[in-house]
Amino acid sequence: MNALDHAKQYWYPVAILDSIPTYPDVKNTRLLGMDITITRQKDGALSVAHNEENWLINEVYDHLWTSPSKTPKPIFDVPEAQERDRRFVPCGVVRVRCSPLRAVENFLDIAHFPFVHTDILGSEPHTEVAPYSVDIDDDKDEVIATKVKFFQPQAAKSASDGIITDYVYRVPSPMNAILYKTCPTRDDVQDVIAIFVQPIDEETCDVWPWMALYDDDSTMAEMIEFQQLIFLQDRSILENQVPTKLPLDPKMEIPTRADLTSIAYRRWLKRRGALYGALLNTTDNPKGTSNSVAAE
Amino acid sequence: MTNVAVGLSKDLPNGRVMRAIVGEQDLVVWRSKSGVLSAWDNRCPHRGMRLSHGFVRGEALACVYHGWHYDKTATCRYIPAHPELEPPETIKAQRFSSTEKGGLIWVSIEEQSTEPSIPDNLKAIRSISFACPMMALKQVIRDLDFTLVKDDNSGWVIQEKSDDQWMMKSIKANISLHLFFQNLSEQTCKIHALANSDCAPDTMKKMSQALEHIRRLAEKHYEVVVS
Amino acid sequence: MSFTLYDYALSGNCYKIRLFANILNVEYERIAVEFYPGAEHRSEKMLQISPAGTLPILKKDDMVLSETSAMLFWMAKNFNAADHWWPENDVAAQAQIIQWMGFASDLTATIGQGRLHALFQTPIDKDKIVKGGRAALRKIEAHLTEQSFDGFSFLTGDKPTIADIACFPYVALSPDVGANIGLDHDDYPAIRNWIYALKSLNGFIPMPGIYAMHELKDHEIDYGAQKPFKTGAAQ
């Protein structure tokens, strides 16, 4: 199975349900290199079409999802989406000129917080990444990182002082990732933040951040703005990684112990053949060769 | 290709970072706090981030993504995620030879490089980018017909000293403008311009404006050719 | 509170006001407005505050300002900013400042619009916007180059004015619009040095697309105290 055929088996977000234009306006976008049109019919029913062929749709997690496959893999479960006392916050979409896989990998990374999200999610000298655990959950076929801890000066909109924040990361499908983090206002629950990635093509993606929070104080505008601010800081990085695609050859980039989640994610992608947006061999990009592997 | 001029020394003060392109090679060019110049492959070996987005800390260049510090030998010396650990010496960025002469920064991406040839005691004017092929730009300069300084009707004499180094001379006004060409792509190039050392600020401004004039002509000329 | 700012974190125009307030060490009340995706700035509620339907909005009692030039001017005067921000007795300098404040609007109309398109796919005439943005960067580059011949680091002299604040965000954010279209800073050494000079000012704060000033947090690393990486540290 080639990379594109593999990618076609999944569901992808293409719109926020509340912001799909009313009939007869349509929304045009792209998915996996294919033009698609999103239409809200007169009766309110939604449809997604490519070359006049209707694709399957799914309305879940505040977004409209679609798949080019007639028999897509089931969409991943976010149980917290059923907890009605959470506030659900779709944050819009941001276009990034990078591989969809690079966007997901960056979302799984904490070591960049002091340098990219300075004084918000991290700050010097609190740069150390303590050991944490990464597993591949064979039942769910997910990458899971647990016991991740990091010092954060302002962990969320509702946080005022620095705290050690705990994280759990889940990668339930190649282009979606979810994190669970310490809720700054309550000890008994965790906030949920996700990125859903719409692959425009192998080197361009639209990223839809989504949150399910316990936050009674912040306005919707404040919560959305906070997440957009964080993601726009990441965008400056993502558009300047070379090569644009995610290299899966361990010789191409040098991970350390802090990158365990990334290492597991790359191996998991390679093993399942999820290669859309990936570089398999250094020979694909001889310029990108590096000289050693530090800590593999 | 040997040594290629990639910028003016004055445009890269101590503690600063810039990006340069030589042939197909994307480079980070940076100067440490004490003034040591380096040119490396523009890519952090950790996650491929362009090092030209990085920042200088003392004698090290740090990547803006995770703050990995590289010393002047391009060896990684500090990984903030593991502050207590000494990074293996195998983590290195790829180095190229760089030097400074005559007010210009020169980089060679070849093993063998010859000393750049440039007169001493020139005054740096500016680096300027062009959205046209270098050939088109050179043609326009050859055909130039304008006077730079009032009361100078003698026009300019162009001396093509080498492929990459030209001199425009106005005998009457006693001005010489040295042009160093840098090819960036099929559609873009740069000129690094210097003048004779006794040139006053007003004349420097006129030279800068003359380069703007040349750019308007060259890009317009190229647009006509293309369409 | 000294004033109320209706603000959006990703807006370069809003950033001008946050930045100048921080430089002047002025506290204010900040109200986040959901510019995107909600277009809250064009909601009936916001239009009643400012019919211009734009952000930022600066409100002080009955005074409502929607132009950033007016806000920067008011802030400089009202908070007794050092004279160089708006030279009180130098009419020629004031004229230059007003001229560059007008140019800042050109930056918004080109680079600002191009950036919104790059982020959120807003419809634009991309070719026109990119050409306009490049022309604007070239103009300011040529000017800053000439300034440097006189030993000046800023738009109108050796000290920054409100015109530098007004022009800074969209010049600094131009790479957000896209690569290899003449809007990267690689082509503009005078702009790079001007950005560095502004980022070095006391009170500088970053915004997404403009990195924090990590250079200034100089800290010595005691390389000798480090322990070697264990082989297989990643495992």
Side-chain angles (χ1 to χ4, degrees):
Chain A
M1 189 184 288
N2 72 24
L4 178 60
D5 286 339
H6 185 276
K8 282 180 176 173
Q9 309 172 87
Y10 296 91
W11 290 96
Y12 297 100
V14 290
I16 292 176
L17 286 170
D18 282 350
S19 60
I20 296 167
T22 48
Y23 184 87
D25 291 342
V26 298
K27 184 193 158 177
N28 295 309
T29 180
R30 281 171 76 74
L31 182 68
L32 299 167
M34 294 174 274
D35 288 317
I36 56 173
T37 302
I38 302 163
T39 310
R40 190 188 289 280
Q41 310 295 342
K42 270 185 202 157
D43 62 3
L46 295 168
S47 67
V48 172
H50 164 67
N51 286 344
E52 302 189 1
E53 174 204 347
N54 277 335
W55 285 0
L56 291 176
I57 60 162
N58 202 340
E59 298 173 41
V60 65
Y61 314 137
D62 299 304
H63 289 76
L64 175 68
W65 300 69
T66 191
S67 174
S69 167
K70 292 200 164 44
T71 53
K73 291 175 188 276
I75 197 160
F76 56 90
D77 189 25
V78 184
E80 295 77 12
Q82 307 310 320
E83 297 172 9
R84 298 325 296 184
D85 50 344
R86 285 179 185 267
R87 291 175 73 185
F88 299 100
V89 189
C91 299
V93 63
V94 178
R95 171 69 50 93
V96 191
R97 285 170 292 138
C98 74
S99 154
L101 307 177
R102 287 261 195 209
V104 170
E105 182 180 74
N106 173 73
F107 185 79
L108 304 174
D109 184 270
I110 51 172
H112 72 284
F113 288 171
F115 300 96
V116 179
H117 310 299
T118 311
D119 297 336
I120 306 171
L121 299 184
S123 68
E124 292 182 279
H126 310 282
T127 55
E128 183 160 15
V129 176
Y132 59 90
S133 311
V134 180
D135 289 301
I136 291 179
D137 181 325
D138 286 326
D139 291 343
K140 291 185 186 160
D141 196 15
E142 291 186 6
V143 179
I144 300 210
T146 53
K147 298 179 201 146
V148 184
K149 288 180 193 299
F150 204 69
F151 176 86
Q152 293 196 240
Q154 186 200 348
K157 189 68 208 91
S158 52
S160 49
D161 292 320
I163 50 173
I164 298 288
T165 300
D166 295 281
Y167 300 84
V168 169
Y169 287 91
R170 277 178 65 196
V171 188
S173 76
M175 296 185 199
N176 297 286
I178 303 156
L179 76 82
Y180 300 78
K181 69 188 279 188
T182 307
C183 173
T185 52
R186 283 177 60 174
D187 293 337
D188 55 331
V189 290
Q190 286 188 305
D191 282 336
V192 177
I193 300 174
I195 56 165
F196 306 143
V197 182
Q198 173 187 350
I200 302 298
D201 54 41
E202 289 196 85
E203 300 194 349
T204 316
C205 58
D206 275 1
V207 177
W208 305 83
W210 176 82
M211 305 190 287
L213 306 179
Y214 286 100
D215 180 345
D216 297 328
D217 302 324
S218 304
T219 65
M220 199 69 164
E222 285 168 336
M223 292 188 290
I224 290 175
E225 183 184 60
F226 184 80
Q227 197 52 35
Q228 287 181 351
L229 173 97
I230 296 301
F231 190 69
L232 261 285
Q233 290 176 329
D234 288 320
R235 183 178 180 271
S236 298
I237 301 294
L238 291 170
E239 296 207 332
N240 285 289
Q241 283 176 278
V242 185
T244 309
K245 290 186 193 174
L246 184 75
L248 298 185
D249 182 335
K251 285 196 288 295
M252 284 267 299
E253 294 186 349
I254 305 175
T256 76
R257 200 182 57 211
D259 300 308
L260 280 182
T261 320
S262 148
I263 295 167
Y265 174 58
R266 291 184 186 200
R267 282 184 187 151
W268 177 79
L269 289 173
K270 197 167 168 178
R271 203 174 63 192
R272 60 168 43 207
L275 305 178
Y276 192 83
L279 274 180
L280 199 50
N281 300 309
T282 36
T283 47
D284 293 348
N285 181 52
K287 293 265 337 149
T289 344
S290 65
N291 17 30
S292 67
V293 178
E296 259 253 90
Chain B
M1 185 144 48
T2 70
N3 268 297
V4 178
V6 298
L8 300 171
S9 295
K10 67 153 185 171
D11 285 334
L12 189 70
N14 291 2
R16 305 289 182 85
V17 187
M18 63 178 255
R19 183 185 182 192
I21 307 284
V22 174
E24 302 280 296
Q25 182 65 50
D26 194 344
L27 297 159
V28 55
V29 180
W30 68 282
R31 203 193 288 282
S32 76
K33 205 171 174 185
S34 74
V36 179
L37 181 75
S38 303
W40 304 341
D41 182 26
N42 191 12
R43 195 177 161 276
C44 178
H46 175 218
R47 285 279 181 86
M49 179 64 193
R50 289 203 171 96
L51 286 169
S52 56
H53 286 241
F55 54 94
V56 175
R57 286 262 174 93
E59 298 306 296
L61 175 67
C63 176
V64 79
Y65 196 2
H66 299 93
W68 288 27
H69 284 41
Y70 297 86
D71 69 14
K72 66 183 177 191
T73 68
T75 308
C76 182
R77 297 300 299 275
Y78 178 60
I79 296 177
H82 310 293
E84 308 288 313
L85 300 181
E86 181 188 339
E89 283 185 8
T90 47
I91 308 182
K92 276 178 186 296
Q94 192 185 354
R95 288 166 81 189
F96 297 98
S97 86
S98 57
T99 183
E100 277 179 282
K101 198 180 172 205
L104 284 172
I105 294 169
W106 303 82
V107 174
S108 171
I109 57 167
E110 292 162 1
E111 299 260 321
Q112 303 286 325
S113 64
T114 50
E115 180 85 348
S117 147
I118 174 173
D120 283 331
N121 299 322
L122 294 182
K123 185 166 263 178
I125 302 292
R126 67 180 293 196
S127 297
I128 180 167
S129 303
F130 297 82
C132 66
M134 200 155 83
M135 289 302 288
L137 171 61
K138 285 179 169 173
Q139 195 51 51
V140 162
I141 296 176
R142 286 191 185 105
D143 297 343
L144 268 185
D145 180 23
F146 74 103
T147 55
L148 182 63
V149 183
K150 213 168 68 178
D151 303 327
D152 170 25
N153 299 317
S154 61
W156 290 84
V157 179
I158 312 252
Q159 244 182 62
E160 301 185 18
K161 297 172 99 171
S162 74
D163 219 27
D164 302 331
Q165 182 179 357
W166 290 13
M167 183 168 74
M168 297 169 65
K169 203 164 183 164
S170 162
I171 313 272
K172 210 167 170 184
N174 193 26
I175 293 171
S176 51
L177 187 59
H178 298 254
L179 307 179
F180 293 83
F181 293 91
Q182 181 190 0
N183 192 47
L184 296 177
S185 71
E186 285 181 9
Q187 305 290 326
T188 53
C189 57
K190 280 187 188 184
I191 285 179
H192 309 287
L194 305 93
N196 46 308
S197 61
D198 51 351
C199 183
D202 274 358
T203 314
M204 292 168 75
K205 286 178 195 173
K206 291 209 172 81
M207 292 199 187
S208 172
Q209 287 156 13
L211 290 163
E212 301 269 331
H213 172 73
I214 289 170
R215 179 162 66 190
R216 284 190 291 273
L217 293 178
E219 292 182 357
K220 201 169 166 187
H221 174 75
Y222 177 57
E223 256 176 41
V224 172
V225 171
V226 171
S227 61
Chain C
M1 280 293 164
S2 53
F3 62 88
T4 300
L5 182 69
Y6 293 85
D7 191 25
Y8 179 56
L10 304 191
S11 154
N13 278 325
C14 294
Y15 170 63
K16 294 172 191 177
I17 308 308
R18 296 196 300 271
L19 174 61
F20 196 40
N22 210 60
I23 288 173
L24 298 181
N25 201 16
V26 171
E27 291 200 6
Y28 57 92
E29 181 196 19
R30 179 177 181 276
I31 296 177
V33 180
E34 190 193 323
F35 177 88
Y36 175 83
E40 192 187 352
H41 57 300
R42 292 202 296 264
S43 67
E44 195 47 43
K45 182 182 136 216
M46 291 306 299
L47 289 171
Q48 284 183 16
I49 297 167
S50 166
T54 54
L55 291 175
I57 302 162
L58 187 155
K59 191 170 183 305
K60 167 74 178 173
D61 304 326
D62 291 341
M63 180 186 78
V64 175
L65 300 177
S66 61
E67 288 292 333
T68 52
S69 313
M71 296 176 205
L72 294 170
F73 172 75
W74 178 81
M75 290 166 76
K77 302 280 275 187
N78 192 60
F79 301 116
N80 296 315
D83 187 64
H84 63 82
W85 292 107
W86 174 260
E88 202 55 63
N89 300 312
D90 187 341
V91 175
Q94 291 173 5
Q96 289 300 315
I97 291 170
I98 292 171
Q99 175 118 334
W100 284 109
M101 302 280 247
F103 175 78
S105 309
D106 297 348
L107 290 169
T108 303
T110 53
I111 294 166
Q113 290 301 313
R115 179 169 165 273
L116 280 183
H117 169 77
L119 299 179
F120 306 134
Q121 305 299 298
T122 50
I124 55 165
D125 179 345
K126 191 161 182 201
D127 196 45
K128 197 176 147 197
I129 291 282
V130 167
K131 276 188 177 150
R134 198 176 64 188
L137 291 185
R138 286 174 167 193
K139 185 175 167 184
I140 199 165
E141 169 76 12
H143 176 73
L144 289 166
T145 302
E146 293 189 13
Q147 288 290 93
S148 75
F149 298 150
D150 293 325
F152 296 151
S153 303
F154 297 99
L155 285 173
T156 62
D158 63 348
K159 293 239 167 74
T161 73
I162 54 174
D164 291 284
I165 301 291
C167 292
F168 173 63
Y170 286 117
V171 171
L173 291 168
S174 67
D176 272 3
V177 182
N180 304 319
I181 49 176
L183 299 180
D184 293 312
H185 295 152
D186 312 329
D187 290 346
Y188 308 105
I191 285 177
R192 289 201 300 271
N193 287 330
W194 174 70
I195 288 174
Y196 195 92
L198 282 162
K199 288 180 71 172
S200 303
L201 295 175
N202 275 331
F204 169 78
I205 45 168
M207 72 165 277
I210 303 175
Y211 295 124
M213 199 60 176
H214 299 295
E215 291 87 338
L216 297 183
K217 280 191 194 163
D218 239 346
H219 69 132
E220 290 297 318
I221 295 152
D222 184 1
Y223 293 129
Q226 293 177 330
K227 290 172 275 189
F229 262 76
K230 276 180 248 156
T231 318
Q235 299 301 325

